[in-house]
Amino acid sequence: RAVTDRADHDTIAVTSARGRFDAVRFQVRGRAVDFHRVVVHFANGGDQNVELRDTIRAGGESRVIDIDGRDRVIRSIEFWYDANTLGRGGRATVRVHGRH
């Protein structure tokens, strides 16, 4: 997902065709992103709040975040970030990698 300094909240959609995951990790490109809150939404209607109050530098990645429970199909991942860290006209790319 491309994130900009014009917003402070984004969602990454994940299709059920990708299957079940037991962990995820965020990767940042372009500029640093200061994360405030992350919520993983599951296909069964459940949610998992993730403690990720970190600034991830450009080219960096988060720690591996374990997914609670079993058979968890991720529907989407919603995240809030500080747009000011991107700078005027700034843009970064946030990617999420899942582990089966």
Side-chain angles (χ1 to χ4, degrees):
R1 169 74 62 197
V3 299
T4 69
D5 62 352
R6 297 178 189 268
D8 63 358
H9 172 246
D10 266 296
T11 302
I12 296 175
V14 181
T15 66
S16 60
R18 301 239 182 220
R20 295 169 173 85
F21 296 95
D22 60 15
V24 295
R25 180 180 62 209
F26 287 87
Q27 183 180 56
V28 174
R29 301 266 187 222
R31 296 202 184 208
V33 176
D34 186 13
F35 288 87
H36 295 291
R37 181 175 176 218
V38 176
V39 179
V40 180
H41 300 284
F42 299 105
N44 68 359
D47 298 321
Q48 178 178 335
N49 290 305
V50 175
E51 289 297 320
L52 184 66
R53 297 183 185 275
D54 295 326
T55 299
I56 300 176
R57 62 180 171 73
E61 54 191 37
S62 72
R63 63 181 167 76
V64 173
I65 300 162
D66 292 325
I67 299 299
D68 295 338
R70 301 180 74 185
D71 296 329
R72 303 299 284 221
V73 175
I74 298 174
R75 182 185 60 192
S76 64
I77 300 174
E78 197 171 10
F79 58 98
W80 288 260
Y81 56 94
D82 186 351
N84 292 329
T85 59
L86 298 174
R88 186 179 175 110
R91 165 172 246 139
T93 301
V94 175
R95 297 182 74 187
V96 178
H97 298 272
R99 182 179 73 199
H100 294 274

